[in-house]
Amino acid sequence: MKMNPWTLSVLLLLAGPLGADPVWHVEYPDSFCVVEGSTATIPCSFTHPAGQRVERVVWCPNHEICSGTTPNVYNSSNVWDDSRFLYLGDRVRNCTLKIIKTVKQDAATYRFRFETNGDKYTGRKGVRVTVTVVKNVRLTVSSTNGEDVKVRSSVTDNVVKEGGQVTLTCTSACSFHQLDVHWYRNGHALPETSPALQLSCLTNDDAGNYTCSLDSSGQKTSAPWCLVVVEDEEKSGWRVTVSVVSVLLAVILLLLAGLVFAKRRHAQKKASVVNQKQEAASEEVSYSTVHFKPSSSRSAPGPEHEIVYSEVVR
Ligand SMILES: *[C@@H]1O[C@H](CO)[C@@H](O)[C@H](O)[C@H]1NC(C)=O
Ligand SMILES: *[C@@H]1O[C@H](CO)[C@@H](O)[C@H](O)[C@H]1NC(C)=O
């Protein structure tokens, strides 16, 4: 079959630059910072041509292709039970690696290799893991450099209103994504293990001293961050306003009711007097408001002219 040059160049473009097969690939961060003694999870994913089955996966330090008998930290065909390196990935596309209780000697460039029933591939770029030594501020009175574990909060001061929310973040020299963090309130361990502790619908029970720690033994612990929960002044002020207004309304309503009642009785008395005078008018008419004209304003007062009805309701 003869190909025209255009088709050929399109095919070359699809194949990727310089003939790199885009289908075989391992993706991990260039470098990863881990605090000594802490637990870190290195994110990793891989791809391979469709239809191939992954038979073996390997993670190894400081070797270009993790081949043969190269020392490794994880080998799916020979898993070491008490290893501090846990493979959280699978044999499909995830090659995430967890390092537990990192020691200084873990600092290395790690590479991921996978072998299928067709071929094998190693992510040559690798992920450079650095191990940072962090001081325990409990043991250090003056902490001036940035190597300490710290609690940072989403609020500017320590005082948060009841029902409000605050996010506490545990930080250190390393970026803290993918790290296991231990949280404590007044020295008691909390269940959360993510670097960000989210507290919402705050009540007085949430108040106290918060610390975070990068290892379960309580080393690498931050200085306490004190949370004060106060009653929402706006809400309580609003409550006072509402109760004052309702008392006033009730008083006004009572006064009005009294006034109306008094007027009614007065009107009824007058009406009965009128009824007695106008025996013929026996229609059922109720008068809601009655005005009485002073008798002096009329020169010829008759019983039927004495009263002017401003409103008549049937
Ligand atoms: C890979 O597995 C880890 C651990 O189970 C998980 O946290 C992560 O989200 C997975 N990554 C992908 C891309 O699926
Ligand atoms: C929090 O710590 C401060 C001093 O750092 C202390 O005065 C306070 O009593 C502590 N609060 C609680 C609830 O432990």
Side-chain angles (χ1 to χ4, degrees):
M1 190 183 102
K2 198 174 180 295
M3 258 185 212
N4 75 43
W6 192 81
T7 314
L8 192 67
S9 58
V10 165
L11 279 178
L12 280 175
L13 272 177
L14 285 174
L18 301 170
D21 188 344
V23 177
W24 294 92
H25 186 66
V26 176
E27 185 65 44
Y28 25 48
D30 291 341
S31 63
F32 202 85
C33 171
V34 182
V35 172
E36 186 194 22
S38 72
T39 293
T41 307
I42 301 170
C44 174
S45 61
F46 66 102
T47 53
H48 58 76
Q52 299 204 16
R53 195 181 59 250
V54 177
E55 293 181 331
R56 181 171 171 258
V57 295
V58 177
W59 271 95
C60 81
N62 299 330
H63 191 278
E64 283 298 311
I65 55 167
C66 299
S67 59
T69 54
T70 309
N72 60 65
V73 292
Y74 179 82
N75 176 357
S76 63
S77 56
N78 183 17
V79 179
W80 180 24
D81 274 348
D82 54 353
S83 172
R84 289 183 301 102
F85 293 82
L86 284 184
Y87 188 67
L88 300 183
D90 49 35
R91 295 199 187 181
V92 183
R93 53 189 282 267
N94 194 334
C95 42
T96 299
L97 183 72
K98 185 170 188 169
I99 311 178
I100 297 164
K101 294 209 170 110
T102 320
V103 296
K104 270 188 226 158
Q105 292 74 22
D106 293 338
T109 296
Y110 292 87
R111 290 185 181 84
F112 176 71
R113 172 191 176 93
F114 62 101
E115 296 168 3
T116 68
N117 52 344
D119 207 342
K120 42 196 163 291
Y121 184 82
T122 305
R124 292 284 188 95
K125 179 172 69 93
V127 48
R128 192 167 50 85
V129 172
T130 56
V131 179
T132 305
V133 180
V134 166
K135 286 185 299 179
N136 182 358
V137 291
R138 272 188 184 162
L139 306 175
T140 320
V141 177
S142 75
S143 49
T144 45
N145 65 18
E147 301 261 308
D148 301 323
V149 184
K150 281 198 191 91
V151 174
R152 290 188 195 284
S153 78
S154 57
V155 291
T156 45
D157 62 359
N158 302 38
V159 182
V160 181
K161 283 174 185 168
E162 224 173 32
Q165 60 180 43
V166 60
T167 303
L168 302 183
T169 318
C170 196
T171 64
S172 86
C174 281
S175 79
F176 262 40
H177 83 119
Q178 309 289 342
L179 265 190
D180 277 4
V181 171
H182 301 267
W183 287 98
Y184 303 88
R185 178 169 52 230
N186 300 327
H188 299 293
L190 300 174
E192 288 84 357
T193 57
S194 74
L197 176 67
Q198 280 179 332
L199 304 166
S200 53
C201 301
L202 288 173
T203 68
N204 229 351
D205 294 342
D206 297 305
N209 290 323
Y210 286 82
T211 50
C212 66
S213 172
L214 301 186
D215 56 3
S216 47
S217 63
Q219 300 292 303
K220 330 284 183 214
T221 299
S222 72
W225 186 87
C226 184
L227 174 66
V228 178
V229 179
V230 292
E231 203 190 335
D232 192 339
E233 268 173 40
E234 231 168 69
K235 260 190 200 163
S236 57
W238 181 238
R239 244 179 267 141
V240 168
T241 313
V242 164
S243 50
V244 164
V245 163
S246 47
V247 165
L248 273 175
L249 270 177
V251 167
I252 288 169
L253 277 175
L254 270 174
L255 280 174
L256 272 176
L259 214 70
V260 166
F261 184 69
K263 265 195 166 180
R264 276 252 173 108
R265 282 194 62 174
H266 195 65
Q268 271 170 6
K269 263 188 193 166
K270 281 276 175 183
S272 64
V273 170
V274 170
N275 278 347
Q276 280 167 8
K277 285 182 179 172
Q278 302 178 320
E279 288 165 10
S282 58
E283 280 185 276
E284 284 175 13
V285 179
S286 76
Y287 314 101
S288 69
T289 319
V290 182
H291 283 273
F292 299 93
K293 290 256 177 177
S295 51
S296 59
S297 67
R298 290 241 173 189
S299 50
E304 63 269 42
H305 296 302
E306 268 180 12
I307 299 159
V308 174
Y309 305 104
S310 69
E311 258 183 271
V312 178
V313 180
R314 249 176 214 280

